[in-house]
Amino acid sequence: MSESLSRRAALKKLALLIGVAGAAGNELPRVAHAAELPHLSPSDPNAMALAYHESAAAVDAKQFPTYKPGQTCDTCLQLQGKQGDAWRPCNLFPGQLVNAKGWCRVWVPKN
Ligand code: SF4
């Protein structure tokens, strides 16, 4: 009888642990896949502060004299993600994607 009770107690503990683990799993933040992240808007205050443009071709070189043709997010050290993707993560705008053909004033050449 005591063996039966201890087995029952062990099963109850196991069920409790599974329940706790399941509840904890539901509360963990969901890790978003890069493709699910929102696109950075040029009107976002942080984007505006760095003069982010979705297209480097639209950059006014007189207004932004540091811009030189050929500078795009795709050639910037800060761009992350998969080569060839149109929208990719940037170290400066966590949680959002920038256009690989875009540009901002802190463009840094890849080594
Ligand atoms: S830091 Fe580089 S990759 Fe990020 S938005 Fe500016 S130019 Fe693009």
Side-chain angles (χ1 to χ4, degrees):
M1 179 157 171
S2 67
E3 184 182 335
S4 168
L5 276 176
S6 66
R7 179 179 278 174
R8 193 174 299 156
L11 286 173
K12 277 185 181 177
K13 281 183 184 175
L14 181 62
L16 184 64
L17 285 173
I18 290 171
V20 169
N26 289 338
E27 292 170 9
L28 291 175
R30 186 167 169 265
V31 177
H33 187 269
E36 299 172 1
L37 295 174
H39 295 177
L40 176 66
S41 168
S43 61
D44 176 286
N46 293 328
M48 289 180 73
L50 298 183
Y52 168 74
H53 289 62
E54 279 189 352
S55 171
V59 176
D60 180 349
K62 288 181 183 162
Q63 187 180 0
F64 303 104
T66 60
Y67 170 76
K68 300 287 181 270
Q71 294 180 354
T72 62
C73 293
D74 199 35
T75 61
C76 177
L77 182 67
Q78 301 296 346
L79 194 66
Q80 304 296 306
K82 190 174 136 201
Q83 183 71 33
D85 283 356
W87 293 87
R88 296 166 58 185
C90 166
N91 289 332
L92 274 66
F93 300 103
Q96 294 177 293
L97 302 177
V98 300
N99 193 312
K101 294 180 179 173
W103 179 87
C104 85
R105 65 170 33 143
V106 294
W107 178 89
V108 180
K110 286 182 186 172
N111 294 331

